[in-house]
Amino acid sequence: MTSIGTGYDLSVSTYSPDGRVFQVEYAQKAVDNSGTAIGLRVKGGVVLAVEKIKHSRLLVPNSNKRIMTAGKHIGVASAGWMSDTRHLVKRTRDEAHNYHDIYKTNAPAKIIAERMGMYVQAYTLYSAVRPFGVSTILACIDEDGPQLYMIEPSGQYVGYRGCAAGKGKQAAKTEIEKLNLEELTVREAVKEAARIIYAAHDDAKDKLFELELSWICEESNNLHTHVPQDVLDEAIEHAEKALDDDDEMEDDEE
């Protein structure tokens, strides 16, 4: 049964006969057309990495960041519409602030993920609004240790050890599944995250891109921050070397 082109995609509040909500699927397509974003939950912390596509050489380096801080202990990476990302990050900050005001302690990651999932899902219920065209990856350290969640345009939120969103998510997931995340240190995870982003990048479609990396771990005093420049440079060097080694192996096989 098909419902494409029969009017069931005109409103987000309308189901198709086969149980689909097309506008939510279209929002997911916006995510799939964006640069790759990944999160790795490892021993001692969480690492976020984003492939920020540069559509022009005139763009100022390190501007329009796709990894943002939503609270001292909360980091958010995104794939999808940047304007929607800013709105959701602001909402995440409000939720974290409100929780702290009431309970006088930092909000647990699950509570923030649950509230944001409910907020995003509300935008799939009414015809006067549209779904958010962004998937957000939430990194946090709370009383239970490092936490990683991904919130999708449908409002579904799931806890992960490793996750990916964006145009290179399948390639990224394949690489993440090869890692022993429970034994990986945060420093090692930074290098692996950079390698995965470089491996998932498609040179044929997007020549220019900028790598963003952040972490939340003991080395950052359990605060979410972008990694220091020397750590970023080391990770990029590691990723480029791994990419060159893979190319050489393919040439030798031919």
Side-chain angles (χ1 to χ4, degrees):
M1 181 182 295
T2 179
S3 307
I4 296 176
T6 57
Y8 293 102
D9 59 351
L10 299 179
S11 171
V12 74
S13 61
T14 303
Y15 278 101
S16 71
D18 49 347
R20 297 163 66 183
V21 180
F22 281 109
Q23 285 203 16
V24 174
E25 295 182 19
Y26 298 161
Q28 184 61 52
K29 189 65 177 178
V31 174
D32 294 340
N33 288 333
S34 176
T36 309
I38 67 171
L40 301 177
R41 174 185 162 191
V42 297
K43 182 175 64 177
V46 184
V47 173
L48 298 175
V50 168
E51 168 204 21
K52 187 174 72 178
I53 304 299
K54 297 177 70 175
H55 300 289
S56 170
R57 294 182 183 275
L58 301 178
L59 289 174
V60 177
N62 298 319
S63 62
N64 299 317
K65 291 186 179 295
R66 300 196 72 96
I67 299 179
M68 305 181 192
T69 298
K72 290 183 178 180
H73 67 305
I74 303 172
V76 177
S78 68
W81 286 101
M82 195 64 199
S83 53
D84 287 2
T85 299
R86 292 192 183 100
H87 179 85
L88 290 181
V89 169
K90 182 182 182 302
R91 180 71 184 197
T92 305
R93 289 170 181 158
D94 291 342
E95 293 289 356
H97 181 72
N98 291 340
Y99 187 96
H100 189 276
D101 276 355
I102 295 171
Y103 299 104
K104 309 305 178 188
T105 186
N106 288 334
K110 186 176 181 180
I111 297 295
I112 294 296
E114 180 181 358
R115 292 185 179 183
M116 291 308 301
M118 292 171 63
Y119 182 76
V120 171
Q121 193 259 346
Y123 278 71
T124 69
L125 301 176
Y126 308 105
S127 58
V129 296
R130 66 161 175 80
F132 291 103
V134 62
S135 284
T136 53
I137 301 174
L138 193 74
C140 181
I141 286 186
D142 57 23
E143 294 179 352
D144 296 323
Q147 304 292 333
L148 181 69
Y149 286 86
M150 183 161 70
I151 304 163
E152 299 180 0
S154 63
Q156 176 178 322
Y157 67 95
V158 182
Y160 289 95
R161 285 199 170 275
C163 61
K167 64 176 64 179
K169 68 178 180 181
Q170 291 303 330
K173 285 179 181 178
T174 300
E175 293 298 322
I176 292 172
E177 288 170 357
K178 297 176 184 178
L179 302 176
N180 184 3
L181 295 172
E182 294 183 6
E183 299 299 324
L184 215 61
T185 66
V186 176
R187 285 269 182 167
E188 292 169 340
V190 168
K191 291 183 178 180
E192 291 298 331
R195 181 185 65 79
I196 291 169
I197 291 293
Y198 271 75
H201 176 70
D202 188 352
D203 271 336
K205 294 181 179 178
D206 305 296
K207 292 288 185 183
L208 298 174
F209 80 99
E210 190 175 303
L211 175 66
E212 284 188 49
L213 282 168
S214 74
W215 61 12
I216 177 168
C217 56
E218 187 175 338
E219 194 167 344
S220 68
N221 295 319
N222 289 337
L223 303 176
H224 177 257
T225 62
H226 281 75
V227 300
Q229 188 61 44
D230 61 322
V231 177
L232 177 61
D233 292 340
E234 187 178 347
I236 291 174
E237 183 180 349
H238 171 80
E240 290 176 343
K241 185 177 184 301
L243 203 61
D244 291 339
D245 291 344
D246 289 343
D247 290 341
E248 289 177 5
M249 288 180 62
E250 291 179 2
D251 292 339
D252 291 342
E253 290 175 359
E254 292 176 359

